Amino acid sequence: MKRRDLLLGLAGAAATTTLPRIAAAQDTLTVVATTGMIADTARRIAGPLAQVRGLMGPGVDPHSYRQTRSDIVALTRADLVLFHGLYLEAQMEEFLLRLGTSRHVVPVGEAVPADLLLRHADYETKADPHVWMAPELWRPVALRIRDALTEARPDHAQTFAANADAFVAELDALAAYASETLAKVPEAARVLVTAHDAFGYFGRAYGFEVMGIQGISTESEAGLERIRTLVDTLVDRQIGAVFVESSVSDRNIRALIEGAAARGHEVRIGGELFSDAMGQDGTYEGTYIGMLDHNITVIARALGADVSAGGMAGKLTVGS
C-alpha cells in the first residue's frame, strides 16, 4: 500500500472513533494548528482555555510538509483543527479535507476576502497564500480563529472576544509601525529580492517591488534563466542587498550574489527573513507579532532606513 493511501486510511479510521467533535464545557479545548502563525494566534485568543499544538516548527516549509503518523494521531484526537488553506499545505490538503468531513476542521486563511487575494501567473488558478505578511490581512484570520474557538466552546465566547480584540489592537499597532518604518527606506531602494515569492502582500501594502527566485510555492523550480534575469536586474539597477529565508535553502541566493560579483557588482545578504515559519519557540521572533516586527525592521535597516535594531518595542534579538 502506498504511503499516501495508508495515511488517508488511518485518518478515515481514526475519524470514525467515538471521540467527541466538540469538547465538553468543563474540559480544556485541544487544538491542533498546522503553521506556527496560526498556532500562536490561537494561543493568544484562547489563553489558558485551550492547549494548542503547532505541527510545523521553526524552519519548516509548509508547502512541502507531509503529515506524520504522530500528526495523524494528534489531528484526529483534537477538538479543533486549524489549517491555513489557500493551498499552502499542499501535501496535506487532501488529508485535511477528508478529516473535515467528520471532525471540526477550519481553513482560517480563507477568511481573507477574495477580492484582497493576489493571483500569480505561475500558480495556476490558486491565490497567493502568504496573507500573514501584511498585518491588516491577518485580522480576518484572527477573527475566524476566534469564531472557531467560540463554536467549540460557546460558554467562553466573551473571553475569546476580549482576547481577540487585544490581539487585533496589536496587529493595528504593528501595521502602523510597518507603514512608518518602511516609508523611511529611499524610494529607489524599495526592491525586495528573496528566495521565493512569499512577500507579495508585503510589497503591495508598503510599496515595495518584490522579486522571488522561486515562485509562490517552494515546490516550483528556479531555472537558470530566472537566476540570470535577476542577476541582470541586480547589476542594472545597482541593488545592493538580497535576503535569505529561514525556511528555504540559501543556495539560489548565493548563486545570485556570485553571479553579480562575476559582473563586478557587489551584493550582500541583507539579513534572514521569516517567510513561511516563525523564529525559535520561546523567543519574541517565535511569535506572529515578533516575526513580522523582525522582517519589517531587518528589511528597513538593510535598505537604508535609520531604524532601531530593537524593532517596534525594543524586543528583537535575532540579527540585531
Side-chain angles (χ1 to χ4, degrees):
M1 181 181 291
K2 294 182 179 179
R3 180 181 184 276
R4 170 181 169 276
D5 294 334
L6 173 61
L7 294 179
L8 289 173
L10 287 171
T16 59
T17 65
T18 57
L19 291 171
R21 183 169 179 173
I22 302 297
Q26 68 270 22
D27 295 334
T28 299
L29 193 65
T30 301
V31 179
V32 174
T34 52
T35 70
M37 294 77 76
I38 297 172
D40 179 64
T41 303
R43 291 187 188 104
R44 289 293 310 276
I45 296 173
L49 298 175
Q51 292 182 341
V52 181
R53 171 179 173 177
L55 297 183
M56 304 177 195
V60 175
D61 178 2
H63 298 282
S64 59
Y65 186 85
R66 296 178 184 272
Q67 67 274 9
T68 65
R69 288 176 179 268
S70 63
D71 290 342
I72 291 173
V73 172
L75 287 161
T76 54
R77 290 181 177 175
D79 300 310
L80 174 63
V81 174
L82 304 173
F83 76 104
H84 186 80
L86 299 176
Y87 206 57
L88 176 70
E89 303 97 336
Q91 307 306 317
M92 293 183 67
E93 184 172 272
E94 185 177 355
F95 171 86
L96 290 165
L97 292 176
R98 180 173 295 189
L99 186 64
T101 63
S102 58
R103 308 294 293 176
H104 196 193
V105 179
V106 183
V108 296
E110 295 178 9
V112 176
D115 61 344
L116 296 180
L117 296 175
L118 293 172
R119 303 287 169 173
H120 196 283
D122 297 336
Y123 209 50
E124 299 179 349
T125 60
K126 298 178 177 64
D128 182 344
H130 302 89
V131 295
W132 59 88
M133 287 300 182
E136 300 92 337
L137 293 182
W138 200 245
R139 173 195 284 261
V141 177
L143 297 181
R144 185 64 189 97
I145 292 172
R146 176 203 63 191
D147 292 345
L149 291 166
T150 301
E151 291 162 10
R153 290 290 294 273
D155 51 316
H156 289 296
Q158 289 186 340
T159 299
F160 297 144
N163 290 345
D165 288 347
F167 183 71
V168 166
E170 290 189 37
L171 294 181
D172 292 343
L174 180 64
Y177 170 74
S179 296
E180 178 184 355
T181 300
L182 294 167
K184 297 177 181 178
V185 175
E187 287 193 25
R190 294 177 191 174
V191 181
L192 184 62
V193 181
T194 60
H196 87 295
D197 207 354
F199 290 82
Y201 294 105
F202 175 95
R204 182 179 69 179
Y206 305 114
F208 278 67
E209 185 177 357
V210 177
M211 302 179 188
I213 302 176
Q214 291 173 270
I216 285 177
S217 171
T218 55
E219 296 290 283
S220 62
E221 293 292 332
L224 291 176
E225 184 59 34
R226 176 62 175 166
I227 292 176
R228 280 196 292 267
T229 297
L230 284 175
V231 168
D232 289 342
T233 301
L234 293 174
V235 174
D236 294 344
R237 297 176 61 176
Q238 292 296 290
I239 296 170
V242 294
F243 298 85
V244 297
E245 301 174 31
S246 66
S247 55
V248 183
S249 169
D250 66 356
R251 181 180 67 254
N252 290 327
I253 287 291
R254 299 285 179 186
L256 282 187
I257 293 173
E258 292 170 5
R263 295 182 50 186
H265 177 57
E266 181 180 355
V267 178
R268 62 187 177 84
I269 292 179
E272 181 182 66
L273 304 179
F274 299 117
S275 54
D276 291 340
M278 304 190 304
Q280 293 297 317
D281 295 339
T283 68
Y284 175 58
E285 292 83 358
T287 67
Y288 174 78
I289 298 293
M291 168 193 187
L292 267 290
D293 188 1
H294 168 91
N295 286 351
I296 293 160
T297 304
V298 167
I299 290 168
R301 285 172 56 82
L303 297 180
D306 183 10
V307 178
S308 169
M312 179 173 64
K315 296 180 180 180
L316 291 177
T317 57
V318 177
S320 62

